[in-house]
Amino acid sequence: MAEAQARQRGGNADDGSAAAEDGVRYEVDGEIATITLARPDKRNAQTFATWSALARIGESLPEQVRVVVVKGEGPSFSAGIDLRMFKPEGVPGQGSFSTAAKIGDAGFEQRIRQAQAGFLWLRRPEIVSIAAVQGHAIGAGFQLALSCDLRIVAEDVAFCMKEPALGLVPDLTGTKPLVDLVGLAKAIDICLTARTVHADEAMRIGLAEQVVARGDLEQAVQDKIAQLLSTDRDAAVATKRLLQGASHRTLEEQSVAEGIEQAARIKALFG
Ligand code: ACO
């Protein structure tokens, strides 16, 4: 069994910002990686340093990891982007939207792509990502939860896509998974009203796989991990790849893809 490995991440070697600024803790224990947003006093508000830290975790994730848990410390999963970004003084070492507006469209779009890299890797076929969400998941917090494959939520969960209320669009990869999960009409309703979606609705419309009492969230995630790890690793990767491709393919194309994946499985198992 792989030896438990744990390490703390703090700071951003790339941009030289203050050590605690990314607010991300990261631990690997065998096949399980846990990413914790760890600025509870600021409701786990996110900055560019947070997203760089997430991207670096994705880049260096050990091959043995099969499940990635994303969670937040304290009362809220995440209150979204750090509101200091909206002020002229911005976030120390990371600027503000006022400074970002001056770097030009291409430069800013590039910066967004870098931020999005912190979210996109959570959909890799090689892993299953689980967001454990309690309390507020607002804006970037909602999008981080949406970037995971599964959402297990506490009864007090409060999802809110607040960006349009602030004059922005959701740009941290959340719009597609939201539409895929709840459909276009419901996604328009949720985003263009910036209303809050609570646990019962989240469960009903497919935003959450499971709702549990706040005190049971950790155990529910552990139980799900045990279920996920009980299946064959290579079959799980191939099956996730198939499921992810299903919505882009015709039934005929999907059937062909199933055959190709199965042939590879049979060869690996019995060849
Ligand atoms: N950025 C920076 N600091 C924040 C943020 C944030 N997004 N959210 C909360 N904080 C800070 C507060 O300023 C406060 O700091 P202080 O103790 O130094 O005064 C601390 O976190 C606690 O916040 P409270 O508001 O007291 O906590 P409460 O539990 O009552 O409310 C809630 C939580 C609802 C999340 C509230 O803090 C809130 O509305 N935050 C802003 C949400 C927001 O608009 N996010 C941007 C979304 S858009 C996007 O992400 C792109």
Side-chain angles (χ1 to χ4, degrees), residues 14-49:
D14 301 337
D15 66 9
S17 60
E21 201 58 63
D22 67 29
V24 176
R25 202 167 60 238
Y26 166 53
E27 293 158 4
V28 176
D29 185 356
E31 296 177 304
I32 305 161
T34 304
I35 297 170
T36 307
L37 301 179
R39 254 196 337 144
D41 54 322
K42 299 294 177 194
R43 301 299 182 264
N44 301 321
Q46 302 172 33
T47 64
F48 278 97

Side-chain angles (χ1 to χ4, degrees), residues 110-179:
Q110 171 66 15
R111 218 170 163 208
I112 292 174
R113 290 296 298 161
Q114 285 166 356
Q116 290 168 336
F119 294 65
L120 288 171
W121 67 268
L122 287 159
R123 294 280 185 179
R124 274 182 207 156
E126 292 77 19
I127 57 167
V128 178
S129 51
I130 305 173
V133 190
Q134 82 286 0
H136 291 99
I138 303 177
F142 190 4
Q143 294 191 72
L144 184 57
L146 283 166
S147 72
C148 292
D149 294 311
L150 308 176
R151 280 148 296 283
I152 299 180
V153 307
E155 282 167 344
D156 67 350
V157 77
F159 290 115
C160 172
M161 201 66 90
K162 195 160 174 193
E163 285 83 344
L166 300 172
L168 301 174
V169 299
D171 67 345
L172 292 167
T173 77
T175 55
K176 182 168 170 54
L178 182 64
V179 171

